[in-house]
Amino acid sequence: MPIEIVCKIKFAEEDAKPKEKEAGDEQSLLGAAQGAAAPRDLATFASTSTLHGLGRACGRGPHGLRRTLWALALLTSLAAFLYQAAGLARGYLTRPHLVAMDPAAPAPAAGFPAVTLCNINRFRHSALSDADIFHLANLTGLPPKDRDGHRAAGLRYPEPDMVDILNRTGHQLADMLKSCNFSGHHCSASNFSVVYTRYGKCYTFNADPQSSLPSRAGGMGSGLEIMLDIQQEEYLPIWRETNETSFEAGIRVQIHSQEEPPYIHQLGFGVSPGFQTFVSCQEQRLTYLPQPWGNCRAESGLREPELQGYSAYSVSACRLRCEKEAVLQRCHCRMVHMPGNETICPPNIYIECADHTLGLPRAAIHSSTHPSIHPSTPSSADVASVGWCWRENFLVLDVFFEALTSEAMEQRAAYGLSALLGDLGGQMGLFIGASVLTLLEILDYIYEVSWDRLKRVWRRPKTPLRTSTGGISTLGLQELKEQSPCPSRGHIEGGGASGLLPNHHHPPGP
């Protein structure tokens, strides 16, 4: 078993030093020992923590029934707080919202909306050529025959131009429009613009957003009033049913803003011949919340998100754009009513390349005009003015503002982050009496304990062979053997030379 002899040698010059120096050395040693002391234990932390009940459950003292009851109460309150906090978090993540409506908000713009109308019949029968009937067989259902009734077998026709076919064979507004008045002033077909939709060639009144016509008053007679001849004698005969064949007669109408393209096959309404239809409108301005409250595309800066091919973002424009991308991916072409400069699909694959409706984001701010439709039969004077064919071909459409006010609807968050933090703070104070500073205390204690353990792992001290503090020196046995001039005990017994230190256990030799 190794034996270590420690020799404490006090030098003579140390005696002259005052005792205050030794006291200072001892104090420095005590300070170093206190700096390397272990962190607070759990009992010490619990007795100083601001968390209610923790000191009584985990503090210093005997472990009895009272401490057990306090520990159960603390755990029960903590579980109740966590349950309530989870419910509040789930409610916040559902992103609830409410709609605030102002039914009498002043209209931001008194401009009259755009009115798009389409004849339900896409092609006039008298305007179709043999080549048109041959190419449009899948759309119209008509058998490809020549004028004499013979099938056009073996005939070769040039490649069709769908835009040319729609322009030539569609109903012309100059032939359909019999009367037009806007706010008491006469209007004509020149006030309408040509636009293409799923119904073919259509016409839009007041389409230019730069020169929008104003609406000076509300009520009947202050808007657009037109009389149309739908030319039902030009309707195609129904040979067989197709996706593009209509069993109806009349026109399709959509009222929209100038920045929004018509999406008339889904958002329009029908007007039948033989009736005078009154459409009272009211502007509705909708403000949607951005994500994650809904599927809404937020504004970029002060402008709406851009959509290629359109001056402004709208749901209709986004739908048409998405439908075009789907048709391009499937058929490598686009339909006439879709935006872009790509190749237009030939009529023989129009049905195969049917568009697809996709899930689309909404604009953050959307303005629309909601019509209220009131059909009525015309007066006897009106019937007499156009003759017996009124109920077959003629109709009157009257579009006007009900009042020069708009309906503002705004989505607002029903449960925001500030409300969530307030509810969490209330539940935390009710059940465990804690606050944000209490959480910081717990985190600080965890950091203190973790950092102490890491330091113990990283710094494992080695016991030095020689240490010197002030006037005290410590020597090991091996150093004494190397530095001492005294011979070993065996040499003394063997008659060797005597050392510096006398041997008191054996007499000196002869």
Side-chain angles (χ1 to χ4, degrees):
M1 180 176 181
I3 300 175
E4 182 178 2
I5 299 176
V6 179
C7 298
K8 295 184 179 179
I9 304 173
K10 190 171 185 180
F11 297 95
E13 58 270 17
E14 295 294 329
D15 296 337
K17 293 183 178 180
K19 294 183 179 181
E20 288 79 2
K21 181 68 167 77
E22 296 180 0
D25 293 340
E26 293 178 359
Q27 291 179 1
S28 63
L29 290 174
L30 291 175
Q34 291 177 358
R40 296 172 295 171
D41 57 356
L42 181 59
T44 304
F45 170 75
S47 60
T48 59
S49 176
T50 58
L51 183 65
H52 291 190
L54 185 61
R56 299 180 181 273
C58 303
R60 301 184 184 277
H63 297 275
L65 178 62
R66 183 178 181 182
R67 174 168 291 192
T68 303
L69 294 177
W70 271 106
L72 291 177
L74 178 63
L75 293 178
T76 303
S77 300
L78 183 61
F81 164 69
L82 293 177
Y83 175 78
Q84 294 292 334
L88 293 174
R90 285 195 301 268
Y92 174 76
L93 293 177
T94 57
R95 307 294 182 180
H97 63 273
L98 52 88
V99 179
M101 184 177 65
D102 187 1
F112 195 77
V115 181
T116 299
L117 52 94
C118 305
N119 199 313
I120 294 179
N121 182 59
R122 300 180 66 183
F123 309 102
R124 290 179 296 143
H125 188 232
S126 62
L128 292 175
S129 63
D130 295 339
D132 297 335
I133 296 176
F134 177 80
H135 292 304
L136 299 175
N138 291 336
L139 293 175
T140 63
L142 297 177
K145 298 180 180 180
D146 56 16
R147 293 297 180 184
D148 298 330
H150 303 289
R151 288 188 174 274
L155 295 177
R156 300 296 180 184
Y157 296 105
E159 291 296 326
D161 184 356
M162 198 63 189
V163 178
D164 177 69
I165 293 176
L166 291 176
N167 280 327
R168 287 188 296 103
T169 64
H171 290 267
Q172 307 300 318
L173 184 62
D175 300 330
M176 292 193 301
L177 188 62
K178 300 302 179 182
S179 175
C180 178
N181 288 283
F182 177 75
S183 296
H185 300 281
H186 177 72
C187 55
S188 62
S190 61
N191 298 107
F192 291 79
S193 303
V194 177
V195 63
Y196 296 99
T197 68
R198 284 286 297 269
Y199 287 97
K201 189 177 183 180
C202 302
Y203 305 91
T204 301
F205 176 80
N206 195 27
D208 189 5
Q210 304 298 330
S211 59
S212 176
L213 298 175
S215 182
R216 298 181 176 87
M220 291 185 297
S222 59
L224 176 65
E225 183 179 0
I226 57 176
M227 178 186 293
L228 294 175
D229 179 9
I230 66 171
Q231 300 175 336
Q232 196 167 168
E233 68 278 1
E234 292 283 1
Y235 277 39
L236 295 178
I238 306 301
W239 291 87
R240 64 182 177 88
E241 183 179 359
T242 67
N243 291 337
E244 305 296 331
T245 302
S246 176
F247 295 94
E248 303 173 350
I251 63 172
R252 193 85 174 170
V253 181
Q254 181 185 352
I255 302 173
H256 54 93
S257 64
Q258 284 79 8
E259 292 81 9
E260 180 182 3
Y263 204 64
I264 198 167
H265 62 284
Q266 288 192 8
L267 303 179
F269 58 92
V271 179
S272 301
F275 292 91
Q276 182 175 5
T277 304
F278 298 95
V279 182
S280 61
C281 305
Q282 184 180 20
E283 185 179 8
Q284 187 179 72
R285 188 171 181 83
L286 307 177
T287 303
Y288 298 103
L289 286 172
Q291 294 178 350
W293 281 272
N295 189 21
C296 175
R297 184 177 297 181
E299 297 182 5
S300 55
L302 299 177
R303 300 177 56 189
E304 291 277 340
E306 295 182 358
L307 193 63
Q308 186 178 2
Y310 298 98
S311 60
Y313 184 90
S314 63
V315 177
S316 300
C318 190
R319 286 178 177 174
L320 290 172
R321 184 70 183 178
C322 293
E323 289 175 1
K324 190 200 79 169
E325 293 176 357
V327 173
L328 279 176
Q329 185 178 4
R330 181 176 181 179
C331 303
H332 308 286
C333 58
R334 67 176 179 90
M335 297 184 178
V336 177
H337 65 278
M338 295 179 178
N341 299 321
E342 293 81 5
T343 304
I344 297 177
C345 298
N348 58 339
I349 63 172
Y350 246 62
I351 298 180
E352 300 176 8
C353 301
D355 54 348
H356 305 278
T357 302
L358 308 176
L360 307 171
R362 295 177 296 189
I365 299 178
H366 177 65
S367 179
S368 60
T369 305
H370 287 255
S372 299
I373 306 168
H374 309 281
S376 64
T377 56
S379 62
S380 57
D382 294 332
V383 175
S385 63
V386 296
W388 61 271
C389 62
W390 168 269
R391 292 188 178 276
E392 296 292 332
N393 289 313
F394 288 85
L395 58 89
V396 175
L397 177 65
D398 194 350
V399 181
F400 56 91
F401 272 126
E402 184 177 353
L404 295 183
T405 57
S406 63
E407 185 180 64
M409 301 180 65
E410 180 182 1
Q411 284 186 350
R412 298 177 182 174
Y415 193 66
L417 182 60
S418 59
L420 174 64
L421 294 178
D423 290 343
L424 286 176
Q427 298 294 334
M428 190 184 301
L430 175 64
F431 287 104
I432 58 178
S435 65
V436 177
L437 297 179
T438 306
L439 299 179
L440 293 179
E441 289 180 0
I442 297 175
L443 294 177
D444 179 70
Y445 176 72
I446 295 175
Y447 167 77
E448 182 181 350
V449 174
S450 303
W451 180 246
D452 180 73
R453 292 186 178 181
L454 288 176
K455 287 194 299 184
R456 290 182 181 181
V457 173
W458 291 343
R459 301 176 182 176
R460 292 184 177 179
K462 297 181 180 180
T463 304
L465 295 178
R466 175 184 295 176
T467 59
S468 177
T469 303
I472 300 176
S473 298
T474 303
L475 300 178
L477 180 61
Q478 184 65 26
E479 292 176 303
L480 289 175
K481 289 181 179 180
E482 294 176 357
Q483 298 179 9
S484 175
C486 301
S488 64
R489 185 174 182 180
H491 290 104
I492 295 175
E493 293 179 354
S498 60
L500 293 178
L501 297 178
N503 191 344
H504 300 282
H505 300 285
H506 300 280

